[in-house]
């Protein structure tokens, strides 16, 4: 139930002090934040485009190259099965690469921006 009443004044808030809207806008327009965004985008966008292309190749080959996808690779495993397993492998590989990239590049930059904003608040 929503109310128009202000919160009680006797409540003690031990949480961190929040930066103002202006501080967030200033941080968003800073060179530091621009570098963080660029670092994220330069990693995430090419990997996303590459994976989508790889997935669409798999779908198109499955739809239009049945003979090729039905080619036996070993035992009872055909090319389609190997490509399907490779889809899972690339998904986990991309997640691992992104986790490493975020830990090594993005998190330190974000932590620096956060600590600066908290110190200024």
């Amino acid at each position: 139930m929503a109310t128009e009443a202000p919160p009680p004044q006797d409540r003690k808030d031990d949480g961190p002090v929040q930066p103002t809207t202006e501080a967030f806008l200033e941080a968003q327009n800073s060179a530091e934040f621009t570098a963080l965004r660029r670092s994220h985008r330069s990693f995430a966008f090419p990997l996303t485009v590459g994976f989508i292309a790889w997935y669409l190749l798999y779908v198109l080959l499955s739809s239009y190259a049945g003979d090729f996808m039905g080619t036996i690779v070993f035992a009872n495993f055909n090319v389609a099965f190997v490509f399907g397993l490779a889809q899972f492998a690339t998904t986990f590989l991309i997640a691992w690469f992104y986790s490493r990239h975020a830990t090594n590049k993005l998190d330190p930059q974000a932590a620096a921006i956060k600590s600066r904003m908290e110190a200024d608040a």
Side-chain angles (χ1 to χ4, degrees), residues 47 90-100:
L47 245 52
T90 54
T91 300
F92 289 111
L93 193 63
I94 288 171
W96 179 69
F97 279 145
Y98 181 78
S99 176
R100 266 188 39 193

Side-chain angles (χ1 to χ4, degrees), residues 15-121:
V17 177
Q18 293 295 315
T20 63
T21 303
E22 292 79 20
F24 278 109
L25 291 173
E26 181 182 321
Q28 183 180 3
N29 294 326
S30 71
E32 228 179 352
F33 189 74
T34 302
L36 174 63
R37 249 190 342 234
R38 187 179 306 115
S39 180
H40 169 70
R41 289 178 179 169
S42 67
F43 184 86
F45 288 173
L47 245 52
T48 301
V49 169
F51 183 77
I52 289 173
W54 161 235
Y55 176 74
L56 289 176
L57 174 69
Y58 174 65
V59 170
L60 290 172
L61 286 174
S62 294
S63 297
Y64 298 108
D67 291 339
F68 170 69
M69 295 297 270
T71 303
I72 300 296
V73 177
F74 59 92
N76 286 331
F77 299 108
N78 60 15
V79 172
F81 186 78
V82 172
F83 274 28
L85 288 178
Q87 291 289 317
F88 285 103
T90 54
T91 300
F92 289 111
L93 193 63
I94 288 171
W96 179 69
F97 279 145
Y98 181 78
S99 176
R100 266 188 39 193
H101 175 72
T103 300
N104 295 333
K105 300 248 180 328
L106 303 179
D107 291 349
Q109 291 175 344
I113 294 169
K114 179 183 176 195
S115 65
R116 191 188 79 237
M117 287 185 70
E118 287 175 348
D120 291 345

